[in-house]
Amino acid sequence: MLSSKYLACLVCSITLNLLFIINIYVGDQWKLSWSTRAALEAEKIAAIYCSGHGRAYLDGLVVADGNQPVCSCNTCFTGPDCSRFIPRCAADANSGSPLFLEPFWMQHLASSALVVPGWHQMGYTYDDLTFVSKELEKLVRRLHSTVGNAVTKNRFVIFGAGSTQVLSAAVFALSNENASSPARVVSSVPYYVIDKDQTQYYSSAKFEFEGDAYTWRNRSDASSTDMIEFVTSPNNPDGQLKEAILHGPNVKTIYDRAYYWPHFTPIPAPADEDVMVFTLSKLTGHAGTRLGWAVIKDETVFNRMMLHMKLNSMGISKDAQLRAFRLLKAVLEEGTGIFDFAYRTMKSRWERLVRTVSSSDRFSLPENNPQYCTFYNKVRQLSPAYAWLKCEREEDKDCYAVLKEANIIGRRGNLFGAEDRYVRLSLIRAEDDFDLLIERLKEFISKENGAKTFEE
Amino acid sequence: MLSSKYLACLVCSITLNLLFIINIYVGDQWKLSWSTRAALEAEKIAAIYCSGHGRAYLDGLVVADGNQPVCSCNTCFTGPDCSRFIPRCAADANSGSPLFLEPFWMQHLASSALVVPGWHQMGYTYDDLTFVSKELEKLVRRLHSTVGNAVTKNRFVIFGAGSTQVLSAAVFALSNENASSPARVVSSVPYYVIDKDQTQYYSSAKFEFEGDAYTWRNRSDASSTDMIEFVTSPNNPDGQLKEAILHGPNVKTIYDRAYYWPHFTPIPAPADEDVMVFTLSKLTGHAGTRLGWAVIKDETVFNRMMLHMKLNSMGISKDAQLRAFRLLKAVLEEGTGIFDFAYRTMKSRWERLVRTVSSSDRFSLPENNPQYCTFYNKVRQLSPAYAWLKCEREEDKDCYAVLKEANIIGRRGNLFGAEDRYVRLSLIRAEDDFDLLIERLKEFISKENGAKTFEE
């Protein structure tokens, strides 16, 4: 009898232990059904080893005979696991792909993962028959109020395919349909290249691009002409908190606030302009999602922009909105986490850049006047997304070519309406790109300085 | 000794059994890590009961105090679980939201679920520095070749935010930049309303909308003018396999092939035009994803359309492309499954509609001449996405108003450049909408017919 009791006890105990083990190691996962296959596939692909210089994507390239994607390598890296550096590869500081935020998301996998059932949101519109997700809108408002960078109370919010589509919608919405002459669209030099290219591309009887806002400041016809001014603030390319040049009843202003986040600039006060444009790209780093928004005071302007979204693309991708929803939820969950990470990264990159550039007098960077930041409650400097580098030598009229010689790809000053003595260097790309940029700059400068060596 | 051996055996056996049980009921799920939380949340929300007249979405409305989305109900249903029918609610046959395919995806949950890590595809471009996912492109080509509805060999493929953006890109790309006069954009009546609205909205020195293609057929200046003709085939609104009206060296044609899939039309042969436009919306039913594409013969046109995508929205949402990738993979996995489901649904809806309409002589439908379908290898009728209903009575000049009286919302004929004696009824909406449409039509007709009743 004793032995059988003992046996029963033992069996019970082992069973219980096993159940606990299941619970600890398996947790709630046994409850999953339809999402399991996709989750397993996604985790398997995400785990493919790419040496820290790349990553494998679900929709990444599949090579011949394979049925699993291969590593997508960062610029200048190659090989099946991205471990091989391509010799003499140029440092890419051209595009503004904000990969500097990728490590943040690698550190917040659980809160940022998204699971979408096949039947999710198939119709054109949401419940309320609009193209705008109300829940995403709520998150956007909450975020602005948490950060204190924009007033959204009693304002309309509209989404679009990146700030690119939103900016275009704003120009159309602010142009007078039945004007005798087209509205003149201007921006003060240096300006964001897309503002010019896009406005020229769509120019019509409604509006035309007219170049530098400064040239219109003292013109006698400026007050009798419909004007639209783009104000990118902080500015792309030079990172300064730009202000409007033109004022008056005939002037409408579109504030591109893409970079008005604490990682790029001190936030002196919440922005409160008539039309303010933001983008997920420079907030969470998800440029590829194409999700921008505008905060708008006037209902007519809002309605006209809505009409633009309808005629341009029959609304905004619900998948882009859903992704943004998931990411902004994760951002809000982490408190100031993403801003701390991003600011730390940008600050450290700027310190490295300034140290490198200041070791030579061949190049210079814009002034960086500290300001009070209401988000961090302290006086701090700018840490812009781009460096607006100037070649100081008289003969270096083509700064792009000078950098090309140093095996660095920047973006020419004249694309921003400025002299070619300037080049824009993107500082928000992947760590690999930034490291290479600094390395190449150092090599170039140390060659200049002859034997003189320096430490970064 | 025997007892201790016996005990050891028992413990082993129980342990093994438990491991088998884990394996059967838990399967591979214990391998999951970062995706578990999102998967659990998604499955929990997907399981919210909405009476079959709605569904709960991850990004669906959250009501006050709640932290979980509530049911999004189909038109005419309400209540926390969508179980209450709204009395006297109008039958909505207006928009072309293709919810008729939702049940297909409800039946294919595992193959169509998508799991996205937070760091997925953050940059603007893919590996090859383009805005177009090469793997999605491969799936699109495979699908066209499986279905046999379009030639894609030696053709370029470009994506855009729904066919809306792609069609607009095509008009810009086909207009001569330095022409002395704008290209005349036409379409034969009845035409797709967006073609007109969009072209008018963007009209400039490059192109202008000029209305009905028929009016240009015999004009003497037609051969000396740059013309662009939209040919929507099968046509929206009337479902017919439309052909181009204008021909000649100065005429460029954009074929809108959105509805050229076996569920809407017999496929006589693969389409092989210079510019053909398709959309995910009318293929898988995911209108909200905003993913369209063009198959293009000429490289210059392709490059100009690419430029358009850049200036319009800095590329195409990678989230939209990823969703399309997952869905098209599922479509291809199922062989002819989605087409069989969709054709069966459309055929049965048409049979119900024809039976209902033909019980009265107040309305008529377009002729439906059978053709050979190479996909189903048989002669079959059209089963278009829309019914192009005509009010036959002399006094019923406003057919929209007649249907309104019957408590049915259609779309006015004049929006398609036609008489208001016609109304477009959408047949691709949710089953609830279609059922109500038929019911309302029957009620209306039976009132007409007095005591005479009829069975559907």
Side-chain angles (χ1 to χ4, degrees):
Chain A
M1 270 313 279
L2 190 76
S3 141
S4 111
K5 260 190 193 163
Y6 163 76
L7 181 68
C9 256
L10 186 74
V11 169
C12 279
S13 159
I14 289 172
T15 310
L16 207 59
N17 282 338
L18 277 167
L19 287 173
F20 280 131
I21 289 170
I22 296 174
N23 194 51
I24 290 166
Y25 288 97
V26 180
D28 279 341
Q29 291 163 23
W30 65 272
K31 291 178 192 160
L32 291 182
S33 69
W34 54 263
S35 64
T36 309
R37 176 179 149 185
L40 281 168
E41 189 189 3
E43 293 213 1
K44 189 176 161 202
I45 292 167
I48 292 173
Y49 179 69
C50 305
S51 311
H53 300 300
R55 59 218 75 63
Y57 296 121
L58 182 61
D59 57 353
L61 218 56
V62 173
V63 290
D65 307 333
N67 49 26
Q68 191 166 284
V70 296
C71 285
S72 293
C73 301
N74 291 350
T75 330
C76 297
F77 288 85
T78 188
D81 62 355
C82 304
S83 60
R84 247 183 37 241
F85 181 77
I86 302 168
R88 288 178 299 282
C89 176
D92 190 344
N94 183 4
S95 98
S97 262
L99 270 291
F100 78 112
L101 279 160
E102 198 184 62
F104 178 82
W105 297 108
M106 295 274 189
Q107 289 159 23
H108 295 85
L109 293 173
S111 62
S112 64
L114 174 65
V115 175
V116 192
W119 47 266
H120 187 82
Q121 295 278 21
M122 293 173 64
Y124 286 101
T125 57
Y126 292 92
D127 264 19
D128 59 357
L129 303 182
T130 74
F131 295 127
V132 166
S133 159
K134 283 293 156 299
E135 290 301 316
L136 177 60
E137 192 186 320
K138 281 186 203 167
L139 294 180
V140 163
R141 289 176 191 274
R142 256 179 66 200
L143 190 69
H144 282 304
S145 123
T146 306
V147 174
N149 67 337
V151 174
T152 62
K153 211 180 159 188
N154 298 321
R155 303 286 181 276
F156 299 93
V157 171
I158 189 172
F159 297 113
S163 60
T164 313
Q165 194 193 28
V166 177
L167 289 166
S168 170
V171 175
F172 274 87
L174 294 176
S175 320
N176 195 332
E177 213 145 338
N178 305 311
S180 54
S181 65
R184 315 288 165 156
V185 182
V186 295
S187 190
S188 59
V189 166
Y191 49 65
Y192 178 39
V193 53
I194 291 290
D195 291 345
K196 180 184 124 195
D197 290 352
Q198 192 181 56
T199 310
Q200 283 181 338
Y201 187 74
Y202 286 114
S203 72
S204 68
K206 292 177 213 158
F207 59 81
E208 271 173 11
F209 190 72
E210 283 283 332
D212 193 359
Y214 285 110
T215 63
W216 281 83
R217 198 162 35 169
N218 300 313
R219 274 176 67 157
S220 58
D221 56 343
S223 64
S224 61
T225 312
D226 283 335
M227 306 289 305
I228 297 174
E229 184 182 355
F230 280 117
V231 179
T232 309
S233 181
N235 195 24
N236 175 359
D238 67 7
Q240 305 298 311
L241 284 166
K242 203 172 179 175
E243 283 178 18
I245 303 297
L246 305 177
H247 304 275
N250 60 319
V251 178
K252 282 154 183 165
T253 317
I254 300 167
Y255 281 86
D256 182 344
R257 289 293 191 177
Y259 301 90
Y260 199 54
W261 296 102
H263 36 282
F264 297 129
T265 177
I267 307 288
D272 188 20
E273 291 105 14
D274 288 358
V275 178
M276 303 183 274
V277 178
F278 293 87
T279 165
L280 195 71
S281 170
K282 302 304 182 289
L283 165 60
T284 69
H286 294 79
T289 295
R290 310 313 305 127
L291 202 284
W293 63 94
V295 179
I296 306 157
K297 275 190 193 163
D298 184 73
E299 188 167 4
T300 309
V301 173
F302 167 74
N303 287 332
R304 286 172 62 105
M305 285 178 74
M306 241 356 170
L307 177 70
H308 183 94
M309 297 308 172
K310 185 183 171 184
L311 291 174
N312 190 242
S313 50
M314 196 58 87
I316 307 105
S317 170
K318 284 171 153 184
D319 292 276
Q321 293 188 66
L322 177 65
R323 185 87 188 281
F325 172 82
R326 165 54 76 218
L327 295 165
L328 292 190
K329 253 191 138 167
V331 163
L332 285 161
E333 225 175 70
E334 297 294 331
T336 63
I338 194 169
F339 302 109
D340 297 344
F341 175 92
Y343 178 42
R344 217 164 42 233
T345 307
M346 291 310 300
K347 195 163 168 268
S348 132
R349 290 191 179 186
W350 269 96
E351 283 163 5
R352 289 173 67 189
L353 180 74
V354 167
R355 222 179 301 146
T356 309
V357 168
S358 62
S359 64
S360 148
D361 44 19
R362 186 135 186 197
F363 305 111
S364 70
L365 290 164
E367 272 190 67
N368 193 334
N369 297 319
Q371 279 199 55
Y372 190 79
C373 174
T374 54
F375 182 76
Y376 282 122
N377 289 315
K378 66 174 183 186
V379 172
R380 46 160 292 209
Q381 290 193 306
L382 305 168
S383 43
Y386 311 104
W388 187 231
L389 198 75
K390 187 180 178 185
C391 277
E392 287 288 347
R393 281 199 196 154
E394 179 55 33
E395 67 271 29
D396 287 350
K397 287 188 174 66
D398 185 351
C399 196
Y400 176 84
V402 172
L403 286 168
K404 194 88 191 282
E405 204 187 307
N407 209 5
I408 294 166
I409 312 287
R411 195 169 281 183
R412 288 181 179 286
N414 77 26
L415 287 173
F416 304 91
E419 288 174 67
D420 266 342
R421 185 170 289 286
Y422 291 90
V423 159
R424 189 193 81 168
L425 298 178
S426 173
L427 308 181
I428 54 178
R429 297 170 55 91
E431 195 71 23
D432 280 342
D433 291 326
F434 183 76
D435 288 345
L436 193 58
L437 167 67
I438 292 293
E439 202 179 299
R440 288 282 151 76
L441 273 175
K442 283 208 267 183
E443 278 170 25
F444 185 73
I445 290 171
S446 68
K447 248 188 257 165
E448 290 276 298
N449 296 356
K452 185 181 144 198
T453 57
F454 68 98
E455 290 164 41
E456 193 204 318
Chain B
M1 269 314 276
L2 188 76
S3 144
S4 112
K5 262 192 191 160
Y6 163 77
L7 181 68
C9 255
L10 187 72
V11 170
C12 281
S13 154
I14 289 171
T15 310
L16 206 62
N17 281 336
L18 277 168
L19 287 174
F20 281 133
I21 288 169
I22 294 173
N23 194 51
I24 291 165
Y25 287 97
V26 180
D28 279 340
Q29 291 163 23
W30 64 272
K31 291 179 191 159
L32 290 181
S33 71
W34 53 264
S35 64
T36 309
R37 176 180 149 184
L40 280 168
E41 190 189 3
E43 292 212 2
K44 189 174 160 205
I45 291 167
I48 292 172
Y49 179 69
C50 304
S51 312
H53 300 300
R55 60 219 73 65
Y57 296 120
L58 183 60
D59 56 354
L61 219 55
V62 173
V63 289
D65 308 332
N67 49 25
Q68 189 166 284
V70 296
C71 285
S72 292
C73 302
N74 292 347
T75 331
C76 298
F77 287 85
T78 189
D81 62 356
C82 304
S83 61
R84 246 183 41 240
F85 181 76
I86 301 168
R88 287 178 302 279
C89 175
D92 190 344
N94 183 4
S95 99
S97 263
L99 270 291
F100 78 111
L101 278 159
E102 198 184 62
F104 177 82
W105 297 108
M106 293 274 189
Q107 289 159 22
H108 295 87
L109 292 173
S111 62
S112 64
L114 173 66
V115 175
V116 192
W119 47 265
H120 186 82
Q121 296 278 18
M122 293 172 65
Y124 286 102
T125 56
Y126 292 92
D127 263 19
D128 59 355
L129 303 182
T130 73
F131 295 127
V132 166
S133 159
K134 284 292 158 297
E135 291 301 317
L136 177 59
E137 192 187 320
K138 281 186 203 167
L139 294 180
V140 163
R141 290 177 191 273
R142 257 180 65 200
L143 189 70
H144 281 305
S145 122
T146 306
V147 174
N149 67 337
V151 174
T152 62
K153 211 181 160 186
N154 298 322
R155 302 287 182 276
F156 299 93
V157 171
I158 190 172
F159 297 113
S163 59
T164 314
Q165 194 193 27
V166 177
L167 289 165
S168 170
V171 175
F172 274 88
L174 294 177
S175 320
N176 195 332
E177 212 143 337
N178 306 310
S180 54
S181 66
R184 313 291 166 154
V185 182
V186 295
S187 188
S188 59
V189 167
Y191 50 66
Y192 178 40
V193 54
I194 291 290
D195 291 344
K196 178 184 126 197
D197 290 352
Q198 193 181 54
T199 310
Q200 283 180 339
Y201 188 74
Y202 286 115
S203 71
S204 69
K206 293 175 214 159
F207 58 80
E208 270 174 10
F209 190 72
E210 282 285 332
D212 192 359
Y214 285 111
T215 63
W216 281 83
R217 197 161 37 168
N218 300 313
R219 273 175 67 155
S220 57
D221 56 345
S223 63
S224 61
T225 310
D226 284 335
M227 306 289 304
I228 297 174
E229 184 182 356
F230 280 116
V231 180
T232 308
S233 181
N235 194 25
N236 175 0
D238 67 7
Q240 304 298 310
L241 284 167
K242 202 173 179 176
E243 284 179 18
I245 302 298
L246 305 178
H247 304 275
N250 61 320
V251 178
K252 284 154 182 164
T253 317
I254 300 168
Y255 281 85
D256 182 344
R257 290 293 192 178
Y259 301 90
Y260 199 54
W261 296 102
H263 35 284
F264 296 130
T265 177
I267 307 288
D272 189 19
E273 292 106 13
D274 288 357
V275 179
M276 302 183 275
V277 178
F278 293 87
T279 166
L280 195 70
S281 169
K282 300 306 182 288
L283 165 60
T284 70
H286 294 79
T289 295
R290 309 313 304 129
L291 202 285
W293 63 93
V295 179
I296 306 158
K297 274 189 194 166
D298 184 74
E299 188 167 5
T300 309
V301 173
F302 168 73
N303 287 332
R304 286 172 63 104
M305 285 177 75
M306 243 354 171
L307 176 71
H308 183 94
M309 296 307 173
K310 184 182 171 186
L311 291 174
N312 190 244
S313 51
M314 197 59 87
I316 306 105
S317 170
K318 283 171 154 185
D319 292 276
Q321 293 189 64
L322 176 64
R323 185 85 188 280
F325 172 82
R326 165 54 76 219
L327 294 166
L328 292 191
K329 253 191 139 168
V331 164
L332 284 161
E333 223 174 70
E334 297 293 331
T336 63
I338 194 170
F339 302 109
D340 296 344
F341 175 92
Y343 178 43
R344 216 164 43 232
T345 307
M346 291 310 300
K347 193 162 170 269
S348 132
R349 289 190 179 185
W350 269 98
E351 283 164 4
R352 289 173 69 190
L353 181 75
V354 167
R355 222 179 302 147
T356 309
V357 167
S358 61
S359 66
S360 147
D361 44 20
R362 185 133 186 198
F363 305 111
S364 71
L365 290 164
E367 271 190 68
N368 193 334
N369 298 320
Q371 280 201 53
Y372 190 78
C373 174
T374 54
F375 182 77
Y376 282 122
N377 291 316
K378 64 173 185 187
V379 172
R380 46 161 289 211
Q381 289 192 307
L382 304 169
S383 42
Y386 311 105
W388 187 232
L389 197 76
K390 187 178 177 187
C391 276
E392 287 288 349
R393 280 199 197 154
E394 178 54 33
E395 67 271 27
D396 287 351
K397 286 189 175 65
D398 186 351
C399 196
Y400 176 84
V402 172
L403 287 168
K404 194 87 191 285
E405 205 186 306
N407 210 4
I408 293 166
I409 312 287
R411 194 169 281 184
R412 286 182 179 286
N414 76 29
L415 288 172
F416 305 90
E419 288 173 65
D420 266 342
R421 184 170 289 288
Y422 290 90
V423 160
R424 188 192 83 167
L425 298 177
S426 173
L427 307 181
I428 55 178
R429 296 170 56 92
E431 194 71 24
D432 278 344
D433 290 326
F434 183 76
D435 288 345
L436 193 58
L437 167 67
I438 293 292
E439 201 178 302
R440 288 282 151 76
L441 273 175
K442 285 207 267 184
E443 277 170 26
F444 185 74
I445 290 171
S446 70
K447 248 188 257 165
E448 290 275 298
N449 296 356
K452 185 180 144 196
T453 57
F454 67 97
E455 290 165 45
E456 194 201 319

